Amino acid sequence: MEEKRRWWGVRLLICLTLVVFKCINGDDPYRFFTWNVTFGDIYPLGVKQQGILINGQFPGPAIESVTNDNLIVSVFNNLDQPFLLTWNGVQQRRNSWQDGVYGTNCPIPPGQNFTYILQVKDQIGSYFYFPSLAFHRAAGGFGGIKISSRPLIPVPFDPPAGDYTVLAGDWFKKNHTDLKAILDGGNGLPFPDGLLINGRGSNGNTFTVDQGKTYRFRISNVGLTTSINFRIQGHKMLLVEVEGTHTLQNTYDSLDIHLGQSYSVLVTADQPAQDYFIVVSTRFTSQVLTATSILHYSNSGGSASGPPPAGPTIEVDWSLNQALSIRQNLTASGPRPNPQGSYHYGMVNTTRTIRLANSAPIINGKQRYAVNSVSFIPADTPLKLADYFKIPGVFSLGSISDNPTGGGGFLQTSVMAANFRAYLEIVFENTEGTVQSWHIDGHILFVVGMNGGQWSSASRSSYNLRDTISRSTVQVYPNSWTAVYMPLDNVGMWNIRSANWARQYLGQQFYLRVYSPVNSIRDEYPIPTNALVCGRALGRKTRPQAGWQYRAGVGTRL
């Protein structure tokens, strides 16, 4: 009975909130999801662990949507600790309120729920969601997100016979609480114990195909610490999409997929009718971990045989050359008929250059990770709430510099100021001997260049200003740099972070405050009526006055 009352309360809240949301978003379709988040026993590597289940599932349920759909996701937190979900690659247009990281959202308390109301505005492609707090990501709680094109928008390939999501990545046998304790103690994580494909170890999954037909595989690296390589025995892969960008349709035998990244490939079942190995293996590690699944022909005459195909191991140049070969399909439509809008990324002058250098300092005797010498520490109040309610003392703009300092690391709640409609050049500089992977919420990154050595202004002569891909997560090779162009077209408080979750947890992240002086929903949606408040924001009202609606940028009395 109590559960039923809670659910009816949630439905009433959703209905009231959608009155506002509908005015903002027009008549785009709504998709409703109710998720119960619990702990449960899982055995992904044959050892009993405490996992995070969504509706009893590990991995969690997939989100299937179409460009501009409104997603109403009601999350019931039945854990014994606070919880948040974030939506990796979903841009949250004008709506960082729904981003689901601690800098923007109060955690959902144990035994309570929160309803995310977000729109996959002007997006297509393959993404995933995952828990963002307390190292929960090491326990599961992740799932795939598909955003399909609207029916009238042409797609540059024929509809596949099937569409499979592959969530792959490294895994540890220790529970997430034990891994968190290792990090809290100032130590690095051990080497992973294995790799998972859709929550299972080797040969735990079967993907069935009909001979002669073509299938789409959406592959995401949902691991914690390690790049992977993906391949299918005896089959070529036609790359067609990378995190929302239709690509030139190059053929690959295998693909490197770095932490937090997603790729879509087409695979034609054009081999003799039998089973074949699907393989993922670790990259740039002295010990190579491998996991397999089965590509099963529906008329198979035999099981998978022979050793699984070997992949690259520590070859950086091989991976760099592959990354440079991935280009945008300039003749394909994106979410709109004209994916470039009114400009082309390479014809716009950048207004600011930001150089970001990762490092691994020891601070107060403990291992930390940093950006431009600043190791991020969470504030007692989400930064977005502190900014909205003008609460002093939570963070300071300019608490991280635009350039590497070359100094030792220090602790700070680092926030960088930026202006709406600026056009940034961001250079990620990696002087360490490990591959880095960077993600920026709320925006797309045009990957204009990457190479070994030290970046300088002369490096711009090698930039691809014609047909590079745009994406939300980009790799930086050891002792190398990667440069991106980034239009600041999305007002809000946005997380810039390492996709290596141990490094993110220990400080390799900060927030970018994209500010517009115009207080209008043309630039940013108002704070949601159901927004949770916590920390120094406790007791604050989520709207200026009860009974007001927002329409066309002004308050209108109901």
Side-chain angles (χ1 to χ4, degrees):
M1 181 61 70
E2 178 62 27
E3 181 72 17
K4 182 177 291 187
R5 283 198 296 267
R6 288 173 61 200
W7 173 231
W8 276 107
V10 170
R11 292 185 65 182
L12 178 60
L13 175 61
I14 292 172
C15 292
L16 293 174
T17 306
L18 290 184
V19 173
V20 176
F21 202 70
K22 189 174 180 66
C23 293
I24 296 172
N25 292 288
D27 294 322
D28 292 313
Y30 290 84
R31 297 178 187 263
F32 294 85
F33 305 85
T34 302
W35 288 354
N36 290 298
V37 180
T38 60
F39 283 128
D41 293 339
I42 57 174
Y43 302 81
L45 293 177
V47 175
K48 180 180 176 180
Q49 293 178 258
Q50 183 188 61
I52 292 178
L53 311 179
I54 300 180
N55 292 351
Q57 301 177 39
F58 169 67
I63 289 179
E64 299 195 10
S65 60
V66 176
T67 300
N68 291 350
D69 279 357
N70 299 295
L71 308 181
I72 315 302
V73 187
S74 186
V75 177
F76 287 84
N77 177 17
N78 293 306
L79 307 181
D80 59 0
Q81 51 198 263
F83 183 78
L84 276 177
L85 286 172
T86 191
W87 320 90
N88 200 70
V90 176
Q91 292 175 18
Q92 311 290 2
R93 304 297 301 172
R94 296 182 285 171
N95 201 16
S96 64
W97 302 108
Q98 309 293 336
D99 203 28
V101 291
Y102 182 65
T104 57
N105 294 89
C106 293
I108 307 170
Q112 297 187 32
N113 84 289
F114 176 73
T115 298
Y116 292 89
I117 302 175
L118 53 100
Q119 186 181 33
V120 289
K121 179 69 173 173
D122 290 337
Q123 283 191 268
I124 60 166
S126 310
Y127 310 94
F128 64 95
Y129 62 86
F130 64 88
S132 63
L133 295 180
F135 223 64
H136 285 153
R137 186 169 175 174
F142 52 78
I145 302 174
K146 303 177 186 178
I147 308 176
S148 300
S149 296
R150 289 175 290 175
L152 296 180
I153 304 299
V155 175
F157 50 87
D158 292 333
D163 193 323
Y164 289 117
T165 293
V166 179
L167 304 174
D170 56 15
W171 193 259
F172 296 81
K173 291 181 179 179
K174 290 182 180 292
N175 284 335
H176 75 280
T177 51
D178 296 327
L179 297 175
K180 179 176 177 294
I182 291 173
L183 296 174
D184 290 340
N187 301 298
L189 293 182
F191 190 72
D193 294 299
L195 296 177
L196 301 185
I197 300 174
N198 288 352
R200 298 182 179 182
S202 282
N203 299 331
N205 293 277
T206 298
F207 300 87
T208 300
V209 297
D210 293 333
Q211 192 171 27
K213 294 183 179 180
T214 298
Y215 295 80
R216 183 171 184 170
F217 285 79
R218 303 173 188 258
I219 313 131
S220 296
N221 185 342
V222 298
L224 297 175
T225 64
T226 313
S227 299
I228 60 173
N229 181 269
F230 179 90
R231 52 202 180 271
I232 301 178
Q233 183 183 27
H235 292 73
K236 302 289 187 180
M237 298 182 294
L238 190 70
L239 183 65
V240 293
E241 178 253 330
V242 173
E243 294 165 27
T245 299
H246 289 307
T247 65
L248 288 181
Q249 295 181 11
N250 295 331
T251 299
Y252 298 92
D253 293 316
S254 69
L255 274 173
D256 276 356
I257 305 174
H258 303 278
L259 289 164
Q261 293 184 339
S262 298
Y263 288 80
S264 276
V265 298
L266 297 181
V267 178
T268 300
D270 55 3
Q271 298 300 303
Q274 64 176 59
D275 292 353
Y276 297 87
F277 287 115
I278 297 173
V279 186
V280 292
S281 59
T282 56
R283 287 287 269 126
F284 318 114
T285 58
S286 55
Q287 176 187 350
V288 178
L289 299 175
T290 300
T292 58
S293 289
I294 300 299
L295 184 74
H296 170 68
Y297 278 54
S298 58
N299 60 338
S300 174
S303 58
S305 61
T313 54
I314 60 173
E315 303 88 346
V316 172
D317 286 347
W318 185 97
S319 188
L320 173 62
N321 289 331
Q322 181 180 86
L324 294 175
S325 74
I326 300 172
R327 305 293 185 90
Q328 181 179 356
N329 185 341
L330 295 178
T331 65
S333 294
R336 300 176 300 278
N338 177 12
Q340 299 294 344
S342 60
Y343 67 91
H344 183 277
Y345 77 92
M347 300 177 68
V348 180
N349 293 327
T350 57
T351 57
R352 179 180 174 187
T353 296
I354 299 172
R355 295 166 52 210
L356 301 175
N358 49 272
S359 59
I362 302 297
I363 302 176
N364 299 328
K366 293 185 177 182
Q367 179 67 69
R368 296 286 299 185
Y369 298 99
V371 188
N372 288 358
S373 300
V374 186
S375 186
F376 182 86
I377 51 173
D380 58 9
T381 304
L383 308 179
K384 182 63 180 170
L385 287 182
D387 196 31
Y388 176 79
F389 290 119
K390 296 180 172 56
I391 301 172
V394 176
F395 69 90
S396 298
L397 292 175
S399 45
I400 181 172
S401 67
D402 281 15
N403 296 287
T405 66
F410 61 94
L411 303 175
Q412 179 68 265
T413 303
S414 39
V415 180
M416 183 179 289
N419 294 324
F420 183 45
R421 302 194 189 284
Y423 195 58
L424 302 186
E425 175 189 40
I426 300 179
V427 183
F428 298 101
E429 301 181 7
N430 178 20
T431 59
E432 297 183 69
T434 57
V435 176
Q436 303 292 312
S437 190
W438 287 92
H439 177 86
I440 300 183
D441 283 347
H443 294 81
I444 58 171
L445 315 174
F446 292 96
V447 187
V448 293
M450 57 176 64
N451 211 336
Q454 178 66 45
W455 180 89
S456 70
S457 58
S459 303
R460 295 183 178 120
S461 64
S462 66
Y463 283 3
N464 177 1
L465 300 182
R466 181 179 182 273
D467 64 350
T468 193
I469 57 169
S470 60
R471 63 189 316 166
S472 61
T473 308
V474 67
Q475 73 271 25
V476 192
Y477 292 102
N479 301 302
S480 300
W481 57 268
T482 294
V484 302
Y485 283 178
M486 176 174 157
L488 294 187
D489 56 359
N490 204 7
V491 173
M493 187 75 70
W494 302 107
N495 191 218
I496 298 180
R497 61 177 178 263
S498 173
N500 180 313
W501 216 239
R503 297 182 75 106
Q504 179 272 351
Y505 182 80
L506 291 180
Q508 193 173 314
Q509 62 169 309
F510 67 97
Y511 282 82
L512 185 73
R513 178 185 182 258
V514 180
Y515 175 72
S516 170
V518 180
N519 185 18
S520 167
I521 63 169
R522 287 188 295 268
D523 293 344
E524 185 177 26
Y525 293 159
I527 186 171
T529 55
N530 70 327
L532 300 175
V533 291
C534 57
R536 302 188 212 179
L538 276 174
R540 306 291 182 113
K541 301 296 184 182
T542 58
R543 287 290 163 86
Q545 183 176 346
W548 286 74
Q549 290 277 15
Y550 286 80
R551 182 179 289 108
V554 297
T556 303
R557 187 75 175 180
L558 287 182

